[in-house]
Amino acid sequence: MSETVEVTVEIPQPEPGLTPEDLVRRARELQSSLRDRQDQTELLTGMPDDTHKAFLEAGFYRTLQPRRFGGYEFSLRTFSRMVTEVARGCPSSGWNLCLAASHSLVVAGRFPEQTQREVFGPSGDFRAPLPVSPTGTAVRTPEGYLVNGRWDYASGVNVSTHFLGGALINDGEGAPPLPGMVLVPSDWQVLDNWGEILGFRGSGSNSVVVENVLVPHGYVSKTHIEAVDVADGPGVGLHGNPMYAGQMASFFNIQLVSILAGVAWAAIDEYQRIITTKKTHTPPFHPRSHEPEHQRNLGLAMGLADAAQRIILSIADDYTGYAARGMQGGEPFSYLDDQSLSVTARQAGQLACQAVERLVPASGSSTLANGERMQRYLRDVATYKSHLNAQYGMWATDYGRSVLGVETP
């Protein structure tokens, strides 16, 4: 927190004495119950009410939310650690939580003060997905912006209080519409169209439709995901925290890879259970954990998972550091910085996937049956690898082009 900004708390925190370690510990303590609800979470295609209630009571949704408006304003490192611990218990619940809770940071950094006061108020209860593709439109009128569109994969929408999505902003002045974001506080429709994708079936990634909904002018932000310097944006003067002055792509990757690190640790937990409870196929029969090959698999997978988590925590620290540098008058948090952090995060995501993929074939065919956790974790990492943000080769080409100063074709 910058010492030059005195923050007035307008909405009290539910637990003013809560610490980052308390938050992470609570996530760890929920792992057993989350693991027990994995089947139910997939069947519901979103987290059960008991899980959502536990996350509310634990304060998870307020982790990144500004302290001024009822949040805990903990660091990105704390948020990443908490998400990883939740995903270790249930990857779908981790995805659902992360993508509903994280976007308070986007609102705090890129929307006007009055908008923040309205959407975070009166109790500080705020959650929103953010499908970034500008598949909707926001057309300016004298009364506000008229919003229409459909957004797919709105992860976390099943537990959200607001909808936040990418949109083409038309100010009606004859210029081409530009991509930005629009906040819709009500009257958005959630489609019943999630749960058939291979993995993360309980992530609440339904589609959202908005039809002719009028929102105030301040509920539109003309910033999108690329090359926007928000070092002097609305969130900086209001909150004084560099966390709210960063770029978007690397922030998105911090979210996703924090989840993937949790999936890797979940697979390690399951593999340990398998090799310590099942015996070898041939005599002399003894626990599989006594076999050097299983010991090697476990050690290698733990190294991969640990590397993935350490990398993403380092990126979370650098993200805030780059933003602080720009706030203090130094080199801005640039698009190239954003690309650099993002390509590294994607490599961490691949390491987490490799941990799972190493353990699955060593676990035995029976662990790939429906309802088995190892099968679920394999499906989850396969689904992550199909995500646009996980296409590390494509994004690495883009980064290399920027470093070389070659024009985009």
Side-chain angles (χ1 to χ4, degrees):
M1 179 69 69
S2 167
E3 294 180 357
T4 61
V5 176
E6 185 175 340
V7 175
T8 301
V9 175
E10 299 182 27
I11 301 171
Q13 299 167 328
E15 296 179 85
L18 188 70
T19 68
E21 289 305 319
D22 290 335
L23 195 82
V24 175
R25 174 183 49 77
R26 289 177 179 181
R28 196 174 295 122
E29 289 172 348
L30 284 171
Q31 284 173 4
S32 179
S33 61
L34 290 171
R35 198 173 292 121
D36 291 342
R37 293 187 197 127
Q38 284 184 6
D39 286 335
Q40 182 188 12
T41 302
E42 283 205 341
L43 286 171
L44 292 172
T45 72
M47 66 174 75
D49 289 342
D50 287 345
T51 300
H52 176 49
K53 182 180 178 183
F55 291 172
L56 281 170
E57 292 175 350
F60 295 163
Y61 294 115
R62 297 175 185 251
T63 306
L64 297 178
Q65 191 167 313
R67 185 162 58 90
R68 183 184 195 109
F69 297 126
Y72 294 108
E73 204 171 312
F74 291 147
S75 68
L76 271 175
R77 168 177 278 265
T78 297
F79 182 76
S80 177
R81 290 177 63 204
M82 179 270 289
V83 167
T84 295
E85 295 293 349
V86 169
R88 187 170 185 167
C90 175
S92 280
S93 296
W95 190 288
N96 201 324
L97 164 70
C98 180
L99 276 294
S102 57
H103 301 126
S104 57
L105 179 144
V106 178
V107 174
R110 294 168 185 255
F111 284 84
E113 177 178 345
Q114 185 57 35
T115 302
Q116 294 187 42
R117 186 167 285 111
E118 292 169 4
V119 300
F120 290 129
S123 63
D125 190 31
F126 175 87
R127 299 173 294 281
L130 176 49
V132 296
S133 294
T135 56
T137 60
V139 179
R140 186 180 180 92
T141 73
E143 296 79 23
Y145 281 90
L146 191 64
V147 181
N148 284 278
R150 168 176 166 149
W151 293 261
D152 296 326
Y153 310 115
S155 299
V157 70
N158 58 319
V159 294
S160 290
T161 60
H162 293 69
F163 174 73
L164 177 63
L168 292 175
I169 313 300
N170 187 341
D171 280 334
E173 298 173 353
L178 295 175
M181 292 178 288
V182 61
L183 255 172
V184 184
S186 61
D187 298 324
W188 34 277
Q189 306 164 40
V190 180
L191 302 186
D192 183 15
N193 66 339
W194 182 249
E196 299 301 320
I197 298 293
L198 182 67
F200 291 112
R201 290 177 178 170
S203 62
S205 300
N206 301 63
S207 297
V208 169
V209 172
V210 176
E211 295 180 342
N212 295 320
V213 174
L214 190 69
V215 302
H217 291 127
Y219 283 52
V220 162
S221 172
K222 296 178 182 178
T223 62
H224 201 239
I225 64 170
E226 291 185 354
V228 177
D229 183 9
V230 292
D232 60 351
V236 176
L238 186 58
H239 307 298
N241 191 331
M243 182 172 71
Y244 302 131
Q247 297 285 354
M248 295 277 272
S250 46
F251 172 59
F252 294 150
N253 281 284
I254 289 168
Q255 297 173 56
L256 298 188
V257 180
S258 298
I259 300 165
L260 263 290
V263 182
W265 286 115
I268 289 166
D269 292 341
E270 181 64 4
Y271 187 69
Q272 280 194 266
R273 185 194 68 79
I274 291 167
I275 65 175
T276 54
T277 58
K278 292 189 175 184
K279 295 186 181 299
T280 54
H281 294 291
T282 57
F285 298 109
H286 52 255
R288 296 182 191 181
S289 58
H290 292 192
E291 291 290 308
E293 186 61 22
H294 287 296
Q295 296 163 3
R296 183 179 302 112
N297 286 330
L298 181 64
L300 288 170
M302 291 179 73
L304 290 166
D306 195 39
Q309 186 169 13
R310 287 175 186 271
I311 289 169
I312 208 62
L313 289 174
S314 175
I315 289 170
D317 292 339
D318 285 345
Y319 181 96
T320 305
Y322 290 171
R325 181 189 65 196
M327 280 178 58
Q328 293 161 6
E331 184 182 344
F333 189 161
S334 68
Y335 180 49
L336 197 64
D337 291 331
D338 197 31
Q339 288 180 295
S340 174
L341 293 179
S342 296
V343 295
T344 306
R346 292 183 186 103
Q347 290 300 317
Q350 294 303 306
L351 294 176
C353 291
Q354 289 171 29
V356 178
E357 292 161 349
R358 167 167 286 277
L359 298 179
V360 169
S363 298
S365 302
S366 62
T367 64
L368 293 180
N370 290 337
E372 292 290 331
R373 290 172 190 155
M374 197 63 85
Q375 187 223 62
R376 179 172 294 122
Y377 304 149
L378 180 63
R379 290 192 281 106
D380 288 343
V381 298
T383 299
Y384 163 75
K385 291 173 82 169
S386 73
H387 195 285
L388 178 63
N389 239 323
Q391 305 312 304
Y392 61 93
M394 177 187 76
W395 293 110
T397 300
D398 190 49
Y399 177 47
R401 185 183 298 121
S402 295
V403 169
L404 294 168
V406 177
E407 252 186 67
T408 301

